Amino acid sequence: MAYEFTKDLETGNPTIDSEHRQLIQAINNLLAACSSGKGRAELEKTARFLSDYTSKHFAHEEMLQKQSKYPDYVNHHRYHEEFKKTVANLSSRLAKEGPTIALVGEVNTAIGGWLINHIKQQDVKLAAYLKANS
């Protein structure tokens, strides 16, 4: 199942929205690689990009939070750290096991589903705070 960057995922912050679009595309690329039975090297490359880009995006978001003195920074940072561990774990398992049906389902839920929920629940609040305090 491919994810779409829909209107309800927009935060109103052009930089954050652009990075979210790229993250969703990376998740879609990983899911496509899994479902088309790509070799492990392709899966590793796609998973590595997702991991690297996630770290870059989270660092950018957290910098904005620190600069603006975002009151929920500690929790937001914790969510990011938990997600990075999840991505690393799933990437490692993909490299070892390949794209099993169960693992593809976990990638879809633990990565794609988490990101969509995080944007809707946390990043929208962050964007509203940034807009109100800029």
Side-chain angles (χ1 to χ4, degrees), residues 23 27 30 46-55 58 80-94 107 110-112 114:
L23 280 169
I27 291 166
L30 181 58
T46 306
R48 193 174 325 109
F49 171 81
L50 178 60
S51 179
D52 292 346
Y53 197 82
T54 300
S55 292
F58 288 167
H80 287 172
E81 291 303 307
E82 289 170 4
F83 183 71
K84 287 193 282 189
K85 287 178 190 171
T86 299
V87 170
N89 180 44
L90 288 172
S91 295
S92 174
R93 288 180 54 207
L94 274 171
V107 167
I111 296 179
W114 184 94

Side-chain angles (χ1 to χ4, degrees), residues 27-75:
I27 291 166
N28 287 337
N29 291 345
L30 181 58
L31 291 170
C34 287
S35 64
S36 64
K38 297 273 183 171
R40 288 191 178 153
E42 181 67 22
L43 286 174
E44 288 176 37
K45 180 180 129 190
T46 306
R48 193 174 325 109
F49 171 81
L50 178 60
S51 179
D52 292 346
Y53 197 82
T54 300
S55 292
K56 173 185 163 187
H57 168 66
F58 288 167
H60 183 242
E61 265 188 17
E62 290 173 12
M63 180 188 68
L64 291 172
Q65 291 175 41
K66 288 177 184 176
Q67 288 174 342
S68 68
K69 297 180 177 37
Y70 184 57
D72 200 31
Y73 167 77
V74 172
N75 284 324

Side-chain angles (χ1 to χ4, degrees), residues 117-133:
N117 287 332
H118 181 75
I119 293 169
K120 287 180 178 180
Q121 294 175 9
Q122 300 301 320
D123 290 346
V124 169
K125 287 193 291 189
L126 168 60
Y129 178 84
L130 292 173
K131 185 175 181 180
N133 292 281

